[in-house]
Amino acid sequence: MCIRDRVSTQSTGLSPGPMTAGVLKVANCSGFYGDRLSAAKEMVEGGPIDALTGDYLAELTMAILHRQRSEGRQGAGYVGTFLKQLKDVLKPCVAKGIKVVTNAGGLNPGGMAAEVDKLSRILGIETKVMWIDGDDLAPRITELQAAGEAFSHMDKHVPLSSSGKEVLTANAYLGCWGIKAALDQGAHVVICPRVTDAAVVMGVAAWRFKWDRKEWDKLAGALTAGHIIECGGQACGGNYSFFHQVPSFRNVGFPIAEIQENGDFTITKHPNTGGLVSVGTVTAQLLYETSSPAYLNPDCTAHFDSLQIQQVGPDRVRVTSVKGSPPPPVHKVCINLADGFTNGVDLMLVGLDLEDKANLFLDSLFESLGGKQQYSEVHVELIRNDREHPTTNAEATATLRVVVRSPNPALCGPIFTQKMTELALCSWPGFTWRNSLRSGPVIRYWPAFVNSHHVTEMVHMPDGFPVRVRPTQHLMDLPVIQQEPFGLGEVVAPAQTAGVKKPYVHHPLSVGPVREIPLGRLFAARSGDKGGCANLGVWAETEAACDFLFDFLTVPRLQALLPDTAHYDIARYELRNLKALNFYIRGILGDGVSSNTRLDPQAKSLGEYLRSKVIKVPLSVLEAQGEWPVSDKLRYASKEWRGHLHPISKL
């Protein structure tokens, strides 16, 4: 097979289709596998756009796609729902010159591309479909380990060899230059594997504006835009803390990034859609699933503490001045490991002596199974949702969660369920089965890095001749990296952030009375998962509230407010330009969403948990310059939160 090599960034001369002069309008139609099917059609028909992107992949999605492939399902390995969306929009996209770029190829981008070709023939249109691979490192793991790649866990700092587990999948997060190469060759549709979430936007922008690989600020702007719109409706008011500000949640619009040649951009949505695009909704998405303000990507690093953000019109937020710097010399790798088998159940306990009821059940269950010691893990949690003076049956109810794991599938199979069932008439008073938990194989997430020189993207053209696209790291010497404190799984060269971060100017709080209010009446929050870790972003709407937030919400204070985080390592990052703090909580999600047993396995609700906590806030903060957050004007005046005044010394 002839393989062509491409290391330059020069276009072939093929001109882009009709586009708005000087602006690239990129619309995203998916934030996860299972998002709104009609979104693609809505974005294409709702107004003029130049490119349609879709983000479907997460660590959990890669595990799901592996299960589908291992079960031999038809169309296994890629996101089949994308084909349903594409059927509605492929013809108008080709006719209007709208480029379609998606990571729905998952573990089988070639298979997905073949299906898109088939769809084109059915629709009677000529479509140039190109696909990318080069991300799959699983067949090369042993070879790369022999070459010195330890694939050390990003947070635990132990080599992959120490896990003793079978590697199921290992996919490097590719960048944007393969996408640009495909578009240079006239692709209408580009099917990607495990590229970074923002790469689908960066690739279109780099193609449209013919950017050079070292135009760091421009690339960082597109990276930031891609990060904001990657999660669909979350940038347009979805899951927003101050949801009372959102006019309507009916048909929430999906986000559009209007990108300029210099990397500045505006986030908006189509008219006549629900939701809201505001500084707050964009800030929420900027903080989501991040750690350090230095946001890493295989093509560049974007410094979120450098950007400026401004409301420039209804549902229009402009982001400017994003500083960029070179990428790290490594690619992140999503590895999934076989980790035995599991089974579990949630049971209802009601009324008195709940701990005693739980203990008698556990003793009977494991005695009948042959003892706890035969399992590699036994997780027991009594979730106390019961109240002291219940007025309904539900208010007297707690949940007992029991989960077992073993490398032996027989121990976690029907026998476990059978032995629980047999206790239904022989256990505590009021025995009630709430629901069974997932049983079957366990997949453990293992995030790691690989030297970028081991990664090459392959772009497969319609003529059958692939083009090799080398990452930027092949073409330049990059600074030596160092690990951040707490082993947070980010790599940053100190020189890259020099002159970027703005110093925090401390404004001492004036002495005076305070008022008790829930933290969430003053501050918004958004939280999410980063593998086995979680991030928790908190931000203010006013400068006075921001000053208080920076002084008040230290790591020890956060751990005091959320006692169940007290034994985890937590890093605090300051983004004064966003009036925001970002906390990164290491290890709280165990080995990731596909294997942990938490009630909220992705930490999506962690921010709202924090916002429910009552704190003492100086009246000077609440009344500064008459600035009281719009979301709280009515609620603050309510009888519920008038409360007593307290001296600031008791804060």
Side-chain angles (χ1 to χ4, degrees), residues 184 226 291 310 328 340 430 443 503 573 608 611 650:
D184 281 344
S291 56
Q310 181 184 10
I443 296 178
Y573 298 102
E608 292 304 294
R611 293 182 70 241
K650 292 185 179 180

Side-chain angles (χ1 to χ4, degrees), residues 65-83:
L65 294 177
H66 167 75
R67 286 196 185 104
Q68 292 177 352
R69 187 171 64 178
S70 65
E71 293 168 359
R73 298 189 198 178
Q74 183 178 3
Y78 57 71
V79 179
T81 52
F82 169 72
L83 292 171

Side-chain angles (χ1 to χ4, degrees), residues 513-533:
V514 301
R515 188 181 296 276
E516 286 187 340
I517 64 169
L519 183 145
R521 297 294 179 225
L522 191 59
F523 303 111
R526 177 162 289 170
S527 56
D529 60 319
K530 291 276 287 183
C533 306

Side-chain angles (χ1 to χ4, degrees), residues 373-421:
Q373 71 282 353
Q374 63 188 324
Y375 293 96
S376 56
E377 292 181 43
V378 175
H379 172 84
V380 176
E381 184 177 6
L382 182 58
I383 303 167
R384 298 298 300 264
N385 296 320
D386 53 305
R387 298 186 182 183
E388 186 175 358
H389 300 290
T391 58
T392 65
N393 199 152
E395 290 180 357
T397 302
T399 299
L400 176 64
R401 171 164 290 190
V402 184
V403 180
V404 294
R405 287 185 182 162
S406 172
N408 182 353
L411 292 174
C412 299
I415 187 64
F416 182 80
T417 305
Q418 177 188 332
K419 292 300 182 183
M420 284 191 294
T421 304

Side-chain angles (χ1 to χ4, degrees), residues 379-547:
H379 172 84
V380 176
E381 184 177 6
L382 182 58
I383 303 167
R384 298 298 300 264
N385 296 320
D386 53 305
R387 298 186 182 183
E388 186 175 358
H389 300 290
T391 58
T392 65
N393 199 152
E395 290 180 357
T397 302
T399 299
L400 176 64
R401 171 164 290 190
V402 184
V403 180
V404 294
R405 287 185 182 162
S406 172
N408 182 353
L411 292 174
C412 299
I415 187 64
F416 182 80
T417 305
Q418 177 188 332
K419 292 300 182 183
M420 284 191 294
T421 304
E422 290 174 356
L423 293 173
L425 302 180
C426 303
S427 192
W428 75 80
F431 184 102
T432 306
W433 193 305
R434 173 162 278 179
N435 59 272
S436 297
L437 303 178
R438 184 184 64 83
S439 63
V442 176
I443 296 178
R444 188 204 299 187
Y445 174 60
W446 186 282
F449 291 122
V450 66
N451 189 300
S452 298
H453 285 79
H454 294 302
V455 179
T456 299
E457 301 176 37
M458 301 297 292
V459 182
H460 297 264
M461 304 290 176
D463 61 10
F465 294 105
V467 170
R468 178 188 292 114
V469 179
R470 298 179 180 178
T472 297
Q473 292 86 343
H474 288 216
L475 311 177
M476 59 184 295
D477 292 327
L478 294 171
V480 176
I481 63 173
Q482 67 176 12
Q483 197 74 28
E484 281 195 320
F486 303 99
L488 295 179
E490 298 280 7
V491 285
V492 180
Q496 294 175 7
T497 58
V500 173
K501 187 174 180 179
K502 297 175 184 288
Y504 166 53
V505 179
H506 177 70
H507 300 283
L509 296 174
S510 59
V511 175
V514 301
R515 188 181 296 276
E516 286 187 340
I517 64 169
L519 183 145
R521 297 294 179 225
L522 191 59
F523 303 111
R526 177 162 289 170
S527 56
D529 60 319
K530 291 276 287 183
C533 306
N535 95 291
L536 172 54
V538 188
W539 69 98
E541 293 184 308
T542 68
E543 289 296 335
C546 179
D547 287 338

Side-chain angles (χ1 to χ4, degrees), residues 129-143:
V129 182
M130 302 183 193
W131 58 280
I132 299 169
D133 64 4
D135 63 311
D136 186 5
L137 302 183
R140 301 169 54 200
I141 284 289
T142 301
E143 167 198 337

Side-chain angles (χ1 to χ4, degrees), residues 252-293:
V252 170
F254 274 55
I256 299 169
E258 298 178 351
I259 305 172
Q260 296 177 254
E261 193 278 336
N262 68 354
D264 293 345
F265 60 91
T266 299
I267 300 297
T268 187
K269 62 184 182 70
H270 281 321
N272 304 314
T273 58
L276 171 72
V277 178
S278 68
V279 168
T281 68
V282 172
T283 296
Q285 191 54 34
L286 275 167
L287 295 172
Y288 183 61
E289 293 183 343
T290 64
S291 56
S292 162

